[in-house]
């Protein structure tokens, strides 16, 4: 914990599910944390719990990452409080599942907005702070669907493929400023609210009962289990650390062997 004392992590989408777990792990590792979420109550609860549990400084911010003004205000709040941002994790994301013939334009546009445009805005505004301080690490929570197409998940997969290109381009833009940019590609988080919400659609897609969906997805993984929040947090902490100082522009699989390229 002492290793990261005085370092600041901004977790965008940090108030719930995976983002909440990442907020706690960053705090446990000694980072002071800024928890930003579209749901302000969740952000406040997470930030308060992290500070109380781990003795770090914390800040919470309500923000819609698809709105430029919200993102600029968020970065201003963080820098006013902490004067710097060492790590920014973009963990906000949504998914809608439907066959392409029935996929609504509204669902497509909202998915691209949250998963890709939000990442762009948060990375752009964070990079200005990191350039000024001469270092930083930007990490996007992506998906294995950013490496291989996903049936009935056109918008989600397209937004995640776009995230890989954005990560690589940001890495090239920011390398001269000693800022590293990487994506983490999780496998199926079977117990996450996002995956659980998609089980009815997945059951329909596969033609199986809803009760069988988790088993089917587990059997696809060579290591024989779903991805956990801790699996992702372990990768985040490594890529945020100086141990990964020579790694940038990477899209790192955390898939139990399900995706290997």
């Amino acid at each position: 914990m002492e290793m990261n004392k005085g370092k600041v992590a901004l977790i965008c989408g940090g108030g719930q599910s995976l983002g909440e777990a990442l907020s706690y792990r960053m705090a446990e590792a000694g980072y002071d944390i800024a928890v930003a979420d579209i749901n302000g109550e969740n952000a406040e609860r997470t930030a308060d719990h992290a500070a109380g549990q781990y003795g770090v400084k914390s800040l919470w911010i309500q923000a819609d990452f698809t709105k430029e003004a919200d993102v600029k205000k968020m970065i201003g709040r963080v820098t006013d409080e902490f004067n710097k941002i060492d790590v920014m994790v973009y963990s906000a994301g949504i998914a809608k599942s439907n066959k392409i013939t029935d996929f609504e334009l509204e669902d497509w546009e909202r998915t691209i907005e949250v998963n890709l445009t939000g990442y762009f805005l948060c990375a752009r505004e964070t990079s200005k702070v990191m350039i000024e301080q001469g270092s930083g690490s930007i990490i996007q929570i992506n998906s294995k669907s950013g490496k291989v197409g996903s049936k009935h998940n056109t918008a989600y997969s397209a937004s995640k493929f776009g995230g890989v290109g954005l990560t690589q381009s940001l890495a090239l833009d920011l390398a001269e400023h000693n800022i590293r940019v990487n994506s983490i590609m999780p496998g199926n988080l079977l117990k996450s609210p996002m995956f659980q919400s998609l089980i009815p659609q997945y059951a329909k897609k596969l033609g199986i009962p809803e009760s069988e969906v988790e088993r089917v997805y587990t059997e696809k993984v060579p290591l024989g289990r779903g991805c956990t929040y801790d699996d992702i947090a372990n990768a985040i902490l490594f890529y945020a650390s100086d141990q990964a100082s020579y790694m940038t522009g990477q899209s790192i699989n955390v898939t139990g062997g399900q995706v290997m390229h």
Side-chain angles (χ1 to χ4, degrees), residues 150-181:
S150 182
K151 186 177 180 181
H152 291 195
N153 285 319
T154 48
Y156 186 75
S157 189
S159 71
K160 295 301 188 179
F161 266 79
V164 170
L166 179 53
T167 287
Q168 293 181 7
S169 300
L170 291 169
L172 293 170
D173 274 14
L174 298 173
E176 66 188 272
H177 303 287
N178 194 33
I179 299 165
R180 298 181 297 106
V181 190

Side-chain angles (χ1 to χ4, degrees), residues 54 108 128 134 141 150 158 172 176 196:
Y54 301 109
W108 167 272
K128 296 173 184 177
I141 303 297
S150 182
L172 293 170
E176 66 188 272
Q196 292 292 316

Side-chain angles (χ1 to χ4, degrees), residues 71-243:
V71 174
K72 288 184 173 183
K73 184 178 176 183
M74 171 186 72
I75 297 299
R77 289 276 312 281
V78 178
T79 53
D80 284 348
E81 181 74 20
F82 296 118
N83 296 312
K84 63 174 183 170
I85 304 171
D86 295 291
V87 182
M88 189 277 279
V89 179
Y90 190 78
S91 185
I94 61 170
K96 299 282 187 178
S97 180
N98 226 331
K99 191 169 182 175
I100 185 60
T101 48
D102 299 314
F103 212 100
E104 298 290 342
L105 177 60
E106 180 183 0
D107 290 338
W108 167 272
E109 291 178 335
R110 185 60 181 161
T111 303
I112 299 295
E113 268 193 332
V114 174
N115 296 356
L116 187 56
T117 304
Y119 173 35
F120 159 75
L121 286 171
C122 290
R124 188 189 72 184
E125 295 307 310
T126 299
S127 72
K128 296 173 184 177
V129 177
M130 291 181 172
I131 288 170
E132 190 74 22
Q133 66 199 24
S135 66
S137 175
I138 294 171
I139 303 171
Q140 181 216 19
I141 303 297
N142 196 293
S143 168
K144 66 179 177 55
S145 297
K147 291 281 188 82
V148 292
S150 182
K151 186 177 180 181
H152 291 195
N153 285 319
T154 48
Y156 186 75
S157 189
S159 71
K160 295 301 188 179
F161 266 79
V164 170
L166 179 53
T167 287
Q168 293 181 7
S169 300
L170 291 169
L172 293 170
D173 274 14
L174 298 173
E176 66 188 272
H177 303 287
N178 194 33
I179 299 165
R180 298 181 297 106
V181 190
N182 294 289
S183 291
I184 303 289
M185 323 296 278
N188 291 310
L189 288 155
L190 299 180
K191 300 304 181 185
S192 69
M194 180 184 287
F195 188 89
Q196 292 292 316
S197 74
L198 294 171
I199 282 179
Q201 292 101 305
Y202 287 174
K204 182 179 176 184
K205 172 175 74 174
L206 297 167
I208 59 175
E210 291 183 18
S211 60
E212 292 292 298
V213 169
E214 284 191 37
R215 179 186 61 78
V216 167
Y217 275 86
T218 301
E219 288 176 352
K220 293 180 179 183
V221 182
L223 289 181
R225 65 174 177 83
C227 189
T228 70
Y229 292 162
D230 274 338
D231 292 326
I232 299 169
N234 291 337
I236 293 277
L237 288 167
F238 171 66
Y239 276 96
S241 76
D242 291 339
Q243 290 179 322

